[in-house]
């Protein structure tokens, strides 16, 4: 048995091995990826899809956002950034078109008029 010197004096320390009759222990190492923040714009795309879906730009942006989130979950950061960039561009265009349409709808006078329920007699 090895002897270890302690400042207070010598003590014997027994070196114990692995427990007898135990199963072989294995270890698993999981490499966690770095936290790279890739915004996928899912919420913005969902908003554009539900409330302002001009020419289906919101729906297409939502599809690209979901693709970006899938690529991020797989670990393909470059692919996730590419899909997120496309989704962001589509969301910006959808927002611009919808702001213009909203302002146009507020400013433009109505071109139709209410028809009377009973025709007038002459």
């Amino acid at each position: 048995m090895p002897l270890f010197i302690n400042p207070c004096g010598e003590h014997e320390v027994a070196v114990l091995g692995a427990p007898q009759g135990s199963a072989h222990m294995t270890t698993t190492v999981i490499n966690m990826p770095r936290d790279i923040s890739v915004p996928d714009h899912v919420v913005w795309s969902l908003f554009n899809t539900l409330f302002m879906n001009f020419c289906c730009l919101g729906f297409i942006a939502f599809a690209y956002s979901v693709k970006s989130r899938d690529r991020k979950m797989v670990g393909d950061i470059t692919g996730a950034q590419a899909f997120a960039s496309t989704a962001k561009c589509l969301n910006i265009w959808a927002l611009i078109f919808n702001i213009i349409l909203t302002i146009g709808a507020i400013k433009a006078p109505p071109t139709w008029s209410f028809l009377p329920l009973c025709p007038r007699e002459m």
Side-chain angles (χ1 to χ4, degrees), residues 26-30:
T26 59
T27 59
T28 303
V29 177
I30 299 174

Side-chain angles (χ1 to χ4, degrees), residues 52-60 94 97-98 101:
M52 303 182 293
N53 200 15
F54 177 76
C55 291
C56 295
L57 286 178
F59 181 72
I60 297 168
F97 284 138
N98 287 305
L101 286 176

Side-chain angles (χ1 to χ4, degrees), residues 56-110:
C56 295
L57 286 178
F59 181 72
I60 297 168
F62 184 70
Y64 275 98
S65 297
V66 170
K67 285 183 180 184
S68 172
R69 182 168 282 187
D70 289 344
R71 293 283 92 201
K72 186 167 55 172
M73 295 305 267
V74 172
D76 181 13
I77 302 301
T78 306
Q81 288 172 341
F83 283 124
S85 174
T86 304
K88 181 179 178 181
C89 182
L90 290 170
N91 279 322
I92 289 171
W93 280 109
L95 183 65
I96 289 171
F97 284 138
N98 287 305
I99 288 172
I100 291 171
L101 286 176
T102 303
I103 291 172
I106 292 171
K107 290 282 187 179

